[in-house]
């Protein structure tokens, strides 16, 4: 079954395509030359974001003296790449094998893990903002348990992505974790801005990736997910 609808995205119409394959929903992710990453040089935090991060610093959290320095540590840089057009699962799925064994498990279904660039492009859908919905996030609450926030909406391509900080999506890139941090920022009381940042499109969460693919995480799989891709 194939569904096609037209939505408005970045001031222009976007054709959203969804197909069913073996009972699983996939969305069409158009390829070609795309810009990825986040441009910190042209971004300005709001006073509220700056103040919230300052409170986190007072509690001993954060990677730098200000929010811009923190983002420089966790976000991928702005860059231009060329990607193939693919079909990507609308929903991420829990790992059924250890991360090292998932490529073979997916290959048996005619699928593969996405690359980190493919995931980021699929999430942001061409938007150059911090989050897939814009540069702002609700700073009066954390994302977990929030049923009204922008993370609950499907993205421009029709994916349910970057929606729950407890979800940690793996790709073929072992230096990156996408879409969440396993709830670390929420449980740790990091502050509202830092609690939302795991949902940022370009957030690759290097410290969590180091744990997942290091000796302490090598036997874990039940807390991770991936988003299967079908190459066209």
């Amino acid at each position: 079954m194939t569904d096609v609808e037209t939505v408005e995205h970045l001031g222009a119409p976007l054709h959203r395509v969804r197909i069913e394959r073996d009972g699983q929903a996939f969305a069409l992710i158009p390829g070609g030359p795309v810009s990825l990453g986040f441009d910190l040089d042209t971004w300005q935090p709001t006073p509220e974001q700056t103040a919230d991060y300052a409170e986190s610093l007072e509690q001993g959290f954060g990677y730098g003296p200000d929010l811009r320095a923190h983002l420089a540590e966790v976000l991928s840089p702005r860059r231009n790449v060329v990607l193939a057009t693919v079909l990507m699962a609308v929903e991420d799925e829990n790992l059924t094998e250890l991360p090292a064994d998932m490529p073979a498990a997916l290959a048996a279904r005619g699928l593969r893990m996405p690359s980190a660039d493919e995931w980021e492009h699929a999430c942001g859908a061409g938007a150059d903002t911090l989050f897939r919905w814009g540069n702002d996030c609700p700073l009066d609450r954390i994302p977990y348990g929030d049923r009204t926030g922008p993370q609950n909406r499907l993205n421009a391509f029709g994916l349910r992505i970057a929606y729950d900080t407890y979800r940690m999506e793996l790709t073929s890139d072992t230096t990156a974790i996408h879409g969440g941090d396993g709830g670390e920022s929420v449980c740790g009381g990091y502050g509202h801005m830092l609690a939302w940042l795991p949902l940022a499109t370009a957030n690759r969460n290097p410290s969590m990736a180091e744990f997942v693919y290091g000796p302490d995480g090598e036997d874990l799989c039940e807390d991770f997910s991936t988003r299967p891709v079908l190459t066209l």
Side-chain angles (χ1 to χ4, degrees):
M1 182 178 67
T2 301
D3 291 324
V4 180
E5 63 177 327
T6 301
V7 297
E8 183 176 342
H9 179 57
L10 303 178
L14 173 69
H15 301 296
R16 181 187 285 176
V17 179
R18 175 178 174 138
I19 73 165
E20 298 283 338
R21 177 185 184 270
D22 296 334
Q24 187 172 22
F26 287 82
L28 180 70
I29 311 298
V34 298
S35 295
L36 301 177
F38 190 66
D39 188 355
L40 283 169
D41 293 334
T42 61
W43 170 78
Q44 290 295 330
T46 66
E48 293 77 14
Q49 289 172 338
T50 298
D52 193 272
Y53 182 76
E55 292 181 9
S56 296
L57 276 183
E58 291 179 0
Q59 300 299 317
F61 302 114
Y63 290 133
D66 55 38
L67 183 55
R68 188 182 304 274
H70 178 88
L71 292 181
E73 293 292 324
V74 299
L75 302 185
S76 68
R78 198 66 174 164
R79 63 205 182 278
N80 296 316
V81 302
V82 178
L83 298 175
T85 298
V86 299
L87 292 173
M88 184 176 286
V90 170
E91 302 268 0
D92 58 311
E93 60 180 62
N94 294 333
L95 266 60
T96 56
E97 306 286 345
L98 293 175
D101 298 325
M102 274 306 295
L106 289 174
R109 296 161 53 193
L111 303 169
R112 62 172 175 82
M113 297 177 79
S115 70
D117 283 354
E118 286 174 328
W119 191 98
E120 194 173 310
H121 169 54
C123 180
D128 59 4
T129 49
L130 184 58
F131 302 97
R132 57 181 173 84
W133 58 81
N135 281 319
D136 296 331
C137 59
L139 292 178
D140 59 346
R141 58 192 185 272
I142 61 174
Y144 181 71
D146 172 28
R147 298 183 181 275
T148 62
Q151 76 278 16
N152 296 302
R153 299 192 296 264
L154 296 179
N155 84 335
F157 291 141
L159 301 175
R160 187 169 184 246
I161 193 168
Y163 63 95
D164 182 352
T165 56
Y166 275 83
R167 304 293 287 178
M168 294 188 291
E169 294 194 35
L170 307 187
T171 65
S172 59
D173 186 339
T174 59
T175 67
I177 301 292
H178 305 267
D181 64 358
E184 178 183 353
S185 56
V186 175
C187 294
Y190 287 8
H192 290 162
M193 185 67 191
L194 292 188
W196 280 91
L197 277 180
L199 303 183
T201 301
N203 194 340
R204 297 208 167 182
N205 212 333
S207 62
M208 183 58 69
E210 186 176 346
F211 165 76
V212 169
Y213 293 105
D216 293 331
E218 62 184 5
D219 294 330
L220 300 178
C221 68
E222 66 272 10
D223 294 328
F224 311 129
S225 67
T226 194
R227 193 172 293 268
V229 163
L230 178 65
T231 304
L232 297 177

